[in-house]
Structure formats: C-alpha cells, structure tokens
Amino acid sequence: MKPLNIVLAVAGGALVGAAVGLLFAPDKGENTRKEIAKFLKQKGIVLKKSKLEQLADELEEQLQENA
C-alpha cells in the first residue's frame, strides 16, 4: 500500500470511531458537543455551534453510508 492510502485509512477509521462514540455516548448530545468543542478549543481549534452541528451531521451520514 502507498503511504498516503494508509494515512487516509487511519484518518477515516478515526472519524468513524469518533462518530460511533458520539452516537453511543452515555451523555446527552448537547453535553457531548460542548465537551468536544471544549477539547478542540484547548487544541487551538475553534468551531461555532453551527459548524459543530454540521460536523456531527456529516459524521452521522458517513456512518449510515458505511453501515
């Protein structure tokens, strides 16, 4: 395999894993999104609420396509 394919596979797997974690999280979605936003902010990434919602929707769509 080419190194780029390996990187893409790992990144895709991480996204799917994160999405599954979000869907099966024991906490309410709103609280989970706040925690994700807080974590991203600590890493220097700032997302508006609408962008975070969009990201969650995209992850959900990916999960449904892969199921």
Side-chain angles (χ1 to χ4, degrees):
M1 278 185 114
K2 294 181 181 179
L4 179 60
N5 290 343
I6 293 171
V7 171
L8 291 175
V10 170
L15 277 174
V16 171
V20 170
L22 285 174
L23 291 176
F24 292 103
D27 205 355
K28 290 172 40 177
E30 183 178 334
N31 293 340
T32 302
R33 286 188 290 275
K34 285 180 184 177
E35 288 297 318
I36 291 170
K38 180 178 161 185
F39 173 79
L40 292 174
K41 190 173 183 179
Q42 289 173 346
K43 299 296 180 184
I45 301 169
V46 179
L47 291 178
K48 293 181 181 179
K49 187 175 181 179
S50 62
K51 291 290 185 183
L52 191 56
E53 294 289 335
Q54 181 182 0
L55 177 61
D57 290 341
E58 289 176 17
L59 290 173
E60 183 179 5
E61 287 175 15
Q62 288 291 324
L63 280 174
Q64 290 174 353
E65 289 175 5
N66 292 328

